[in-house]
Amino acid sequence: AKARHFKWEVDYMIGAPDCLEHVVMAINGQFPSPTIKARAGDTVVVHLTNKLHTEGVVIHWHGIRQLGTPWADGTASISQCAINPGETFVYRFKVDKAGTYFYHGHYGMQRSAGLYGLLIVDVEEGKKEPFQYDGEFNLLLSDWWHKGVHDQEVDLSSNPFRWIGEPESLLINGRGQYNCSLAAAHDSKASGCTFRGNEACAPNILHVKPNKTYRLRVASTTSLASLNLAIGNHKMLMVEADGNYLQPFSVNDFDIYSGETYSVLFRTDQRPTDNYWISVGVRGRQPRTPQGLAIVHYQTTTASKLPTLPPPQTPLWNDYARSKSFSNKIRALSGSPKPPINHHRRIFLLNTQNRINGYTKWAINNVSLSLPPTPYLGSIKHRLTNAFDQKSPPDTFLSTYDIMKPPPNPNSTYGSGVYMLKFNTTIDVILQNANALNPNVSEIHPWHLHGHDFWVLGYGEGMFSKRDEDKLNLKNPPLRNTVVIFPYGWTALRFVTDNPGVWAFHCHIEPHLHMGMGVVFAEGFILLGRYQTRLFLVA
Ligand SMILES: O=C1O[C@H]([C@@H](O)CO)C(O)=C1O
C-alpha cells in the first residue's frame, strides 16, 4: 500500500460545460476536477487550498467510509469547519475497498457549481476482481443550469419560493451540447454540432476494439436529475454498485440516481464498421432536458463518423414500475457480507415538504435540518452543549399520518437533526415517502449515508406496515451507500454502528438538502447523562 499525495487548489474559472460560457468550480484549473486513482489499502492525502475569494470550501469523499478518520469526511458543519479563503486543509484517509467512487463539494450548493471528480480504487496489487475485462472507461454524469448557483441558493431560500426548475443540459465527463445536437441527423428540428474534437464541450469518445469486453464505471453526481443510461445495440452486465460487487445481471439500460455509482461490462460485438451512441436521459421528473450523449467508436472505422442508428430512447419518465423492477433485481454477489438477523433500533423517517414562516422546506419527522456554525464532530466530542439544539428528533411519526395527501398542517420547525446512535448496534432505517405540498405529487429521493455502507432490505408501496416485515431481504441484500425512495413508497435499510463519528444521512438532491432534507447520526459517543457525551475509544 502507498500514500498518494495531491496538492490541489480550488477556484472558480470561466468554462463552457455545455458550450455556453459559464463560471464553473475547478481544481487546479480542471473541470471536472482531476480523477484520483488508487489501490485498495492506499492512503490518499489531499492538501486542499481554498483559492476562492469570498467563500469556504470542503470536499466529501463520497462512498469512502472513513473508518477511524471521521474528521476527513469533508462535510461543513458536521465533520469540520469550512476551509477559509487562503487556508489549506489536509485530508488524509484510507481507501480500504476497491470500487467506483467520486468526491464533491459539501458546502452550500458547490457540487451544483461543478466541484466534483472521480475517485477510482483498484483492487490490491496481485488481487483479482470477480470478473474480467480488457479495458475500462469512466463516465461522470452531472446536470447543468445556466442560472448561477448563488442565484439558485437565494431562489430556494426566498419567500415566495422559487424552484430551480429542470437542468438546461446533461453532462458526461463535464461535456454537454446546449445549442446544437450531435444527433441532428435523427431530429429534423435540431441543428447539428460542428466539432473538430478539441473543443471543451465536444462529446466524449470511447475508443474500442471489436470483440473485447470493457468495464464502464458510471457515477452520478447530478444536482437533481435521476438518469437512465443505454448504449445503442449493446447489452450491459451490472457488476458493481457503490463499491460493492453485484450478482451479475444483464440489462439493455439502467437507472442511476444522484449519489450512485455502477460498473457495467459490455462486449463490443456489434457491426464494427459503425459507431454507437451512449445516451443519458432524465427519469422521475418531467423531462425538459435533452439527452446527454457520448460515442462508442470502433477503431475499425473513423472516430468522426456519427452513429447510423438514433440514440437509444430514455424510458418514459414516470414509468416507475420499470424503475422498481430494475432496483429489485439488484442483489449482492454471493459470498458478500450478510446483515445481522435482528436490529436493536428502528428509525422511521417520514419525508415531507413543509413550510416554516412561509418558506418552503423539506422535513424529516417534521424537523427541517438546519446546520450549526460549530461542527458537530467537535461540539459533541467536547460536550459544547450550547453549540446546537440538543433535543433529539423523533424516531417515528404518527401512524395515522396520511402519506397519500399533502400535509394537513404543513408547518414545520428547524432542528439540528442529531440522532445519537450507540456503538456496535444494528440500526434499521425505514425511509417513508409521502405527498409533497401540491396534491398528487410525490417525488424520488436518493438518500446517501456517510461513514457506512448499508444493506438495502427492500422497497415497498404505501406506508410501511408490520406485514412488510416478512418481505425484507436478509438473504442477499446489496450493500450500498445510496438508495432511492420511490413516490408514495418506503425503503428499508440496515447498518451496524461500527464507525465512531458524526455522519450525514440526507437526500442527495442538492436543492433538497439545501431545503433541510437530511438528518445526522452521531455514533459511538458514550452517553453520560443528558448533556454529557464522550467519544468512544476504539483501537
Ligand atoms: O423541492 C421541490 O420544489 C419543487 C416543487 O415541489 C415546488 O415548486 C420541486 O419539484 C421540488 O423537487
XYZ file of all heavy atoms in Angstrom, residues 161 163 285 353 362 443 512 515, ligand 1:
98
model
N -41.269 31.124 -2.628
C -40.284 30.149 -3.069
C -40.108 30.192 -4.590
O -41.077 30.330 -5.331
C -40.810 28.772 -2.648
C -39.982 27.593 -3.067
C -38.734 27.389 -2.531
C -40.498 26.653 -3.956
C -37.986 26.270 -2.891
C -39.761 25.538 -4.318
C -38.499 25.346 -3.777
N -38.456 27.740 -7.385
C -37.839 26.441 -7.669
C -36.827 26.604 -8.799
O -37.008 27.435 -9.684
C -38.927 25.416 -8.021
C -38.399 24.082 -8.435
C -38.616 23.453 -9.635
C -37.560 23.195 -7.671
N -37.966 22.240 -9.647
C -37.309 22.062 -8.463
C -36.989 23.261 -6.393
C -36.509 20.995 -8.029
C -36.191 22.208 -5.958
C -35.971 21.088 -6.778
N -38.778 12.816 -13.275
C -39.293 14.175 -13.289
C -39.630 14.491 -14.744
O -39.037 13.919 -15.647
C -38.238 15.185 -12.787
C -37.738 14.921 -11.381
C -36.808 16.033 -10.925
N -37.510 17.280 -10.775
C -38.002 17.730 -9.605
N -37.856 17.047 -8.506
N -38.631 18.874 -9.551
N -42.700 17.667 2.469
C -42.426 19.047 2.064
C -43.283 19.928 2.968
O -44.449 19.598 3.223
C -42.807 19.232 0.601
C -42.136 20.415 -0.066
C -42.518 20.512 -1.529
O -43.552 20.022 -1.939
N -41.678 21.164 -2.320
N -38.062 21.058 3.205
C -38.322 19.626 3.381
C -38.037 19.311 4.836
O -37.148 19.936 5.453
C -37.428 18.790 2.473
C -37.803 18.899 1.027
C -37.303 19.777 0.115
C -38.769 18.101 0.319
N -37.899 19.592 -1.125
C -38.806 18.558 -1.011
C -39.621 17.050 0.698
C -39.636 17.995 -1.985
C -40.449 16.486 -0.278
C -40.464 16.962 -1.599
N -42.223 12.693 -5.014
C -41.037 12.646 -5.874
C -40.026 11.609 -5.403
O -40.061 11.166 -4.256
C -40.357 14.024 -5.875
C -41.256 15.131 -6.388
C -40.602 16.499 -6.306
O -39.584 16.657 -5.621
O -41.128 17.419 -6.954
N -32.651 19.888 -2.410
C -33.446 19.330 -1.307
C -32.666 19.348 0.009
O -33.216 19.663 1.062
C -33.917 17.910 -1.636
C -35.000 17.876 -2.677
N -35.539 16.722 -3.172
C -35.639 18.896 -3.319
C -36.477 17.022 -4.065
N -36.533 18.334 -4.187
N -32.747 22.651 1.353
C -34.055 22.953 1.931
C -34.321 22.138 3.200
O -35.452 22.111 3.690
C -35.152 22.685 0.892
C -35.125 23.637 -0.295
S -36.041 22.983 -1.707
C -37.727 23.161 -1.166
O -38.362 20.779 -3.820
C -39.035 20.949 -4.819
O -39.844 22.019 -5.058
C -40.461 21.843 -6.331
C -41.949 21.841 -6.185
O -42.351 20.882 -5.269
C -42.471 23.165 -5.702
O -42.213 24.164 -6.642
C -39.968 20.549 -6.791
O -40.321 19.993 -7.919
C -39.116 20.047 -5.887
O -38.477 18.909 -6.005
